[in-house]
Amino acid sequence: MCCKPNGLLDYYREQLTYTKDNESHSGLLALGGFLSEMADYKRAEHYYQMLLNELPFDHHDVCFVHSNLGYLHATQGYVETAVECYQRALNSLEDHVPWDHRNFAPILNNLGSAYLELNRTDEALAIYERALNINQSPRNIESTDSRMTATLYNNLGTIYLQREDYVRAVNNFMAATALENVLPSNHPTLAISYNNLAEILKEGAQFEKALQFHTIALNILRSSILPDHPDIATTLNNIGSIHFHMDDRAKALTFYEEALSIQMRSKAKDVDLASTFSNIGSVFMANGDASSALTHHQKALAIYRRSLPSQHIFEATALSNVGDTLKMMGRYVEALDYFDQALSIQCLPNHVRGLIYNNVAGLYRTLQQIEKALKHYLLAFELLSEHLASDHPDVAKVCTNLSTIYSDMNDEEHALDYGKRAHVILSATLSPNHYDLAVSHNNLAMILARNGQFRRAIEHIRQAVRIAWTQNHFKLFLVSQLNRLTILEEFSL
């Protein structure tokens, strides 16, 4: 291999021709890998089963066949079966090479990914680290597979991102990106890194930059894999999420529905399908269509419960979404039960628990149980402030709610404090015409008016009226105009 491949097909053609001792079974292994990357799982499995039937049970390539079969099962959602295949692969490989041989790394990486999907995060982290140590050991340094090392860094970064350890997450994602210059420019592994970096930017509320990286990832995938590949659906979901955070719900729904269409055609993993149902439900919820939102959130919850281990974080999020929708429909007792079920799950990251506390607080406020509402809002604020960026929109959301609850309690000092905090965050992270920013102007204007700061209140209400009018938010426009008249009347007295 004297030159760098200039495209993905050339890259795999090179892999197919550069086989150990030119053995035909090595070519079949590479062909199966190519078909698997292209999501042609049925034909890939056919070649792998052919190899298992033809090779002696103690042949050195049997381990790779088991590993590749594990990947096929995992990709199609049969994760427990995949774990069994990976363990058979490791047992077979141990009969042929030392424990630190570089061929262990890709099998361990696949096993780690299966553990991660089963919510066995500590085991996944240990497996990834073991694989990375093998790949970087002195005996392997000359023959290190840069693509494999990049994949391991990406996977480690994903775990640290889930654990809200953003410094380690970024370090691992950047390490992955630095190694990927040996790959073709449209290799799917590059798309993984771009997607991961975009998720970090999203956590920091840098939505425009996150959208750019997700779009690059989508373009890479569309030029390198089949149009119905699950990774394309995942990236469409990611882009939809960015548009949702930027308050472009129509565009978000378009991307979510395109992702769902791909997943339905390609028989995607249950977990991925549930995630898309959940995303679509969130759009319906934001649009005030509680009935459609409930249908989609209940579908997501049912899928998570049948396909994931109990006490999984995804189940908790789905429970909270159903609870929040029931609250919107006025079914408060049912909503509280779903929130309690969500909070009973022990493995929740703190920011997820904080968001659920925020939802519970909103329910208590609706029920006029102000002290309970305040308690849960403060719990939410504490958790989100500790584990998210200080200017994250979710922190602003809780600050807005605290401002409102303190106004309900006639504590205008605290109401103004949290109202200002929310407005500073929203002004820094949202577009100038964002709906939530208009709401913030409105809320802050009324608090300032109650504190006798009429001139500043009028400035904020004018901004609220402008945004509501230019963005066709007619209900908000009317509310803003009424608030404006109220402030002007009080100012003239």
Side-chain angles (χ1 to χ4, degrees):
M1 291 189 288
C2 61
C3 61
K4 181 178 176 180
N6 58 12
L8 185 65
L9 189 58
D10 291 333
Y11 179 80
Y12 276 108
R13 186 180 293 117
E14 204 169 81
Q15 301 305 301
L16 291 170
T17 56
Y18 189 77
T19 55
K20 183 179 179 181
D21 298 328
N22 292 319
E23 295 177 359
S24 61
H25 59 262
S26 298
L28 286 177
L29 269 173
L31 178 59
F34 174 70
L35 292 170
S36 182
E37 288 278 8
M38 301 297 289
D40 192 346
Y41 304 126
K42 187 174 181 179
R43 284 205 294 166
E45 185 171 5
H46 169 74
Y47 287 115
Y48 293 146
Q49 291 294 348
M50 183 189 302
L51 284 169
L52 285 180
N53 292 335
E54 294 180 357
L55 292 173
F57 76 93
D58 59 349
H59 192 280
H60 57 76
D61 275 351
V62 167
C63 64
F64 302 120
V65 182
H66 283 305
S67 178
N68 290 359
L69 277 170
Y71 178 80
L72 284 182
H73 289 306
T75 303
Q76 296 173 85
Y78 308 116
V79 185
E80 295 283 5
T81 304
V83 169
E84 294 172 5
C85 289
Y86 296 143
Q87 290 172 338
R88 282 197 290 270
L90 292 172
N91 291 336
S92 175
L93 188 59
E94 286 171 354
D95 293 336
H96 298 283
V97 297
W99 67 269
D100 60 346
H101 192 279
R102 67 188 182 91
N103 285 344
F104 276 102
I107 303 173
L108 289 167
N109 173 69
N110 290 341
L111 179 60
S113 297
Y115 282 148
L116 187 60
E117 193 156 337
L118 293 170
N119 211 36
R120 295 161 65 175
T121 310
D122 290 341
E123 292 169 271
L125 181 62
I127 289 288
Y128 287 146
E129 288 177 339
R130 178 184 166 192
L132 186 62
N133 287 337
I134 289 173
N135 234 30
Q136 296 179 326
S137 68
R139 66 172 290 156
N140 297 323
I141 199 68
E142 295 297 326
S143 57
T144 294
D145 180 354
S146 296
R147 179 192 173 193
M148 185 74 265
T149 304
T151 298
L152 288 164
Y153 276 127
N154 269 319
N155 290 340
L156 284 166
T158 299
I159 290 182
Y160 288 123
L161 181 59
Q162 287 185 3
R163 293 184 169 186
E164 301 161 2
D165 188 341
Y166 299 118
V167 173
R168 287 187 180 180
V170 169
N171 288 341
N172 279 279
F173 291 149
M174 294 304 293
T177 304
L179 287 165
E180 287 163 352
N181 59 1
V182 301
L183 298 174
S185 61
N186 66 334
H187 196 285
T189 300
L190 290 170
I192 294 172
S193 291
Y194 280 116
N195 271 326
N196 287 337
L197 288 170
E199 287 301 295
I200 287 286
L201 290 166
K202 176 183 164 186
E203 288 297 321
Q206 298 183 53
F207 299 122
E208 293 285 356
K209 290 182 179 178
L211 182 60
Q212 291 175 13
F213 280 130
H214 279 317
T215 302
I216 292 171
L218 181 62
N219 291 336
I220 290 173
L221 293 172
R222 280 181 163 159
S223 69
S224 60
I225 57 180
L226 291 177
D228 285 349
H229 195 286
D231 287 352
I232 291 180
T234 298
T235 305
L236 289 167
N237 259 317
N238 291 339
I239 293 174
S241 176
I242 297 296
H243 285 298
F244 183 74
H245 279 87
M246 295 170 70
D247 201 38
D248 193 340
R249 299 171 199 163
K251 195 169 284 187
L253 187 59
T254 298
F255 280 97
Y256 290 152
E257 288 178 338
E258 186 179 354
L260 182 63
S261 178
I262 290 173
Q263 290 169 335
M264 298 296 282
R265 291 196 303 270
S266 62
K267 297 181 180 179
K269 288 189 293 186
D270 283 346
V271 173
D272 294 337
L273 194 60
S275 176
T276 306
F277 279 129
S278 179
N279 289 339
I280 293 173
S282 296
V283 175
F284 282 126
M285 183 73 169
N287 288 336
D289 186 351
S291 178
S292 296
L294 183 62
T295 297
H296 285 80
H297 285 316
Q298 286 177 328
K299 284 182 180 180
L301 177 60
I303 293 171
Y304 286 141
R305 280 181 158 167
R306 75 165 181 256
S307 59
L308 293 174
S310 61
Q311 295 283 304
H312 198 284
I313 178 179
F314 292 166
E315 181 186 357
T317 302
L319 285 164
S320 180
N321 288 338
V322 172
D324 211 28
T325 310
L326 290 169
K327 183 188 78 173
M328 186 179 184
M329 301 172 77
R331 295 160 62 177
Y332 303 127
V333 174
E334 294 172 81
L336 190 57
D337 178 58
Y338 276 94
F339 288 142
D340 286 341
Q341 289 182 60
L343 289 169
S344 71
I345 291 177
Q346 299 300 313
C347 64
L348 288 182
N350 284 324
H351 78 274
V352 175
R353 190 173 295 276
L355 291 172
I356 297 173
Y357 278 137
N358 182 65
N359 289 342
V360 173
L363 175 57
Y364 282 129
R365 181 170 179 259
T366 301
L367 295 172
Q368 295 298 306
Q369 298 184 35
I370 303 301
E371 292 295 335
K372 285 186 176 180
L374 177 60
K375 173 186 173 183
H376 284 82
Y377 279 139
L378 289 172
L379 285 170
F381 178 74
E382 180 182 353
L383 290 172
L384 294 177
S385 296
E386 286 179 2
H387 298 282
L388 293 178
S390 60
D391 60 350
H392 196 284
D394 286 340
V395 176
K397 184 187 301 183
V398 180
C399 285
T400 298
N401 292 335
L402 278 166
S403 176
T404 303
I405 202 76
Y406 278 121
S407 287
D408 292 344
M409 300 170 69
N410 296 316
D411 185 344
E412 298 299 346
E413 182 180 352
H414 281 98
L416 183 59
D417 177 39
Y418 283 104
K420 286 180 177 178
R421 291 192 201 188
H423 192 74
V424 167
I425 295 171
L426 295 174
S427 297
T429 58
L430 300 180
S431 66
N433 291 324
H434 197 286
Y435 177 87
D436 289 347
L437 190 57
V439 172
S440 179
H441 278 299
N442 237 318
N443 293 342
L444 195 54
M446 298 310 293
I447 297 170
L448 288 165
R450 286 194 296 271
N451 280 271
Q453 300 181 44
F454 295 111
R455 292 188 185 280
R456 292 183 62 198
I458 290 171
E459 291 173 8
H460 282 286
I461 207 65
R462 282 175 177 164
Q463 290 298 319
V465 169
R466 179 191 61 77
I467 296 171
W469 177 253
T470 58
Q471 300 301 306
N472 297 320
H473 297 307
F474 295 117
K475 183 177 179 181
L476 180 60
F477 174 74
L478 291 174
V479 170
S480 301
Q481 285 285 41
L482 288 172
N483 288 343
R484 177 172 173 270
L485 291 172
T486 299
I487 293 169
L488 288 172
E489 287 175 5
E490 291 183 10
F491 184 47
S492 63
L493 292 177

